[in-house]
Amino acid sequence: MAHLSDPDGPETVERLPDPAPAHAVPGAPWWPLVMLDERWIREHADSFDLYHLHFGFDQTPPATLRRIVDTLHELGKPFVYTVHDLRNPHQVDPAAQDAALDVLIPAADELITLTRGAAHEIRRRWGRTPTVIPHPHVVPLDQWVPHAPAGEVPVVGLNFKSMRANMDPLPVARVLLAAAARGEIELVLDVHTDVLTPGTRHHDAGVAELMRTARETDRVRVNVHEIYTDQQLWEQLRGLDLSVLAYRSGTHSGWLELCHDLGTRVLAPSVGFYHEQHPGVLRFDWDASGQPCAGQVEAALAELRGREPWQASADDRAAQRRRIAASHAEVYRRALAVRASREGDAA
């Protein structure tokens, strides 16, 4: 949430730092939210005026979420929720996310989401109208590097990560491997070490077999690594002309936003609202048999040759961020006013 404030100041909103848990693991990319706790809210009620939730409730039961929002309202604290995910990319069964949203969305004093399509879906399902505020830049504004145009043989990347629940990269990888074998692209496959390590939770024998084939295919490079640091990930993506998102489901993508900062085009499936985040996102469909429509993927690859990079300017992102900061401040003012009005009516 570092890029929700005005980059030029003055700061009109003070956001409390995310406290580390008592037994934090050094270097861990994520930890359970300390603030997402009824006891923490009661003990720190004097330190905040408004509570804004984005992520981090994957493991929190709906009954606990209900107690949390009830506690906030009992204390007179407005609750704002940004709906990033209508479908949680880390969960196989959508029921858990649906149950959480059935608590959070009706209980929120104000709602935010990132695209008009998501806002329409929220209105359809819950009868609430969110404020649409786009995702801000991911790369710091002082670290902008121009991306070169795509070459005659574009460099295309597919990142398997740790095979989170919404990913199905194998069918897409096979289409891309065939294109590389024909000399149409240079293909870069990235995968986390745990996926190829037998006995680990994310080990996938099918991916391991595909990587063996990939290593024997011309114009293909396989990178096996631990989770990249931010800088390592940025450098890896800067070396691509196209990043392919092999998602079966989802809503919005921070990865897509990062690519737009770096100048790396994105090919995304026609699920969720990825194509509403920015003009120019390339598209493919999944067919009825669960395979990517190969003709669409191949057409997207053919579009790359010699094209200018798909890159936001730092100036445009800075201007967008000023609008984002102003929009959040307005949402917060409305939420505070709504809660004050309700408290007055109750009195």
Side-chain angles (χ1 to χ4, degrees), residues 176-195:
L176 297 176
L177 281 168
R182 294 192 297 268
E184 296 168 359
I185 61 171
E186 299 275 353
L187 179 60
V188 181
L189 301 178
D190 275 80
V191 61
H192 290 167
T193 306
D194 55 359
V195 177

Side-chain angles (χ1 to χ4, degrees), residues 8-215:
D8 303 319
E11 185 56 80
T12 60
V13 175
E14 178 185 356
R15 292 181 172 87
L16 298 180
D18 182 18
H23 304 290
V25 178
W30 179 87
W31 55 56
L33 292 176
V34 173
M35 292 180 177
L36 194 65
D37 178 82
E38 180 184 354
R39 180 177 174 182
W40 185 94
I41 290 168
R42 290 189 183 279
E43 291 178 351
H44 295 82
D46 291 339
S47 67
F48 68 94
D49 301 305
L50 176 147
Y51 190 99
H52 187 175
L53 179 64
H54 290 261
F55 300 106
F57 54 85
D58 306 48
Q59 305 302 319
T60 307
T64 302
L65 293 174
R66 169 59 61 191
R67 288 196 300 273
I68 287 168
V69 295
D70 285 349
T71 298
L72 288 167
H73 290 162
E74 173 196 332
L75 297 171
K77 304 295 184 180
F79 171 54
V80 175
Y81 173 45
T82 294
V83 188
H84 290 269
D85 296 316
L86 288 165
R87 177 73 185 270
N88 191 312
H90 303 285
Q91 296 170 342
V92 176
D93 186 349
Q97 180 77 350
D98 289 345
L101 296 181
D102 283 342
V103 172
L104 297 173
I105 290 177
D109 295 288
E110 285 283 340
L111 291 167
I112 297 169
T113 194
L114 308 183
T115 58
R116 291 181 180 178
H120 175 79
E121 183 68 4
I122 291 164
R123 282 193 296 271
R124 185 187 71 81
R125 291 175 61 179
W126 290 279
R128 299 292 308 275
T129 300
T131 299
V132 177
I133 304 177
H135 196 296
H137 63 95
V138 178
V139 176
L141 295 172
D142 61 357
Q143 296 187 39
W144 235 252
V145 177
H147 193 295
E152 195 58 32
V153 180
V155 182
V156 176
L158 176 62
N159 198 314
F160 289 63
K161 307 179 190 178
S162 285
M163 295 292 289
R164 71 185 189 187
N166 75 327
M167 294 189 68
D168 191 10
L170 284 173
V172 179
R174 294 185 185 107
V175 175
L176 297 176
L177 281 168
R182 294 192 297 268
E184 296 168 359
I185 61 171
E186 299 275 353
L187 179 60
V188 181
L189 301 178
D190 275 80
V191 61
H192 290 167
T193 306
D194 55 359
V195 177
L196 303 188
T197 304
T200 61
R201 182 164 67 94
H202 295 125
H203 176 246
D204 189 305
V207 174
E209 177 60 33
L210 181 131
M211 293 300 171
R212 285 191 286 270
T213 299
R215 288 188 175 100

Side-chain angles (χ1 to χ4, degrees), residues 139 143-145 147 233-240 262 264:
V139 176
Q143 296 187 39
W144 235 252
V145 177
H147 193 295
L233 177 59
W234 301 345
E235 287 308 307
Q236 191 269 336
L237 288 174
R238 281 190 179 109
L240 306 177
L262 299 171
T264 302

Side-chain angles (χ1 to χ4, degrees), residues 189-308:
L189 301 178
D190 275 80
V191 61
H192 290 167
T193 306
D194 55 359
V195 177
L196 303 188
T197 304
T200 61
R201 182 164 67 94
H202 295 125
H203 176 246
D204 189 305
V207 174
E209 177 60 33
L210 181 131
M211 293 300 171
R212 285 191 286 270
T213 299
R215 288 188 175 100
E216 298 170 358
T217 304
D218 290 340
R219 295 184 180 272
V220 178
R221 182 169 76 251
V222 175
N223 297 327
V224 181
H225 53 85
E226 301 299 324
I227 297 174
Y228 281 141
T229 65
D230 287 346
Q231 292 288 347
Q232 288 171 333
L233 177 59
W234 301 345
E235 287 308 307
Q236 191 269 336
L237 288 174
R238 281 190 179 109
L240 306 177
D241 297 307
L242 177 75
S243 180
V244 182
L245 307 185
Y247 300 160
R248 284 286 178 185
S249 62
T251 311
H252 303 114
S253 171
W255 187 279
L256 183 154
E257 297 289 343
L258 172 60
C259 286
H260 196 33
D261 291 344
L262 299 171
T264 302
R265 286 190 176 274
V266 169
L267 173 61
S270 53
V271 300
F273 304 101
Y274 305 127
H275 297 86
E276 292 190 21
Q277 289 181 241
H278 294 284
V281 179
L282 302 175
R283 179 187 300 264
F284 74 90
D285 298 316
W286 296 101
D287 67 21
S289 68
Q291 298 300 307
C293 292
Q296 293 175 338
V297 175
E298 291 162 359
L301 299 179
E303 285 188 43
L304 295 174
R305 298 186 190 97
R307 288 191 70 175
E308 291 300 310

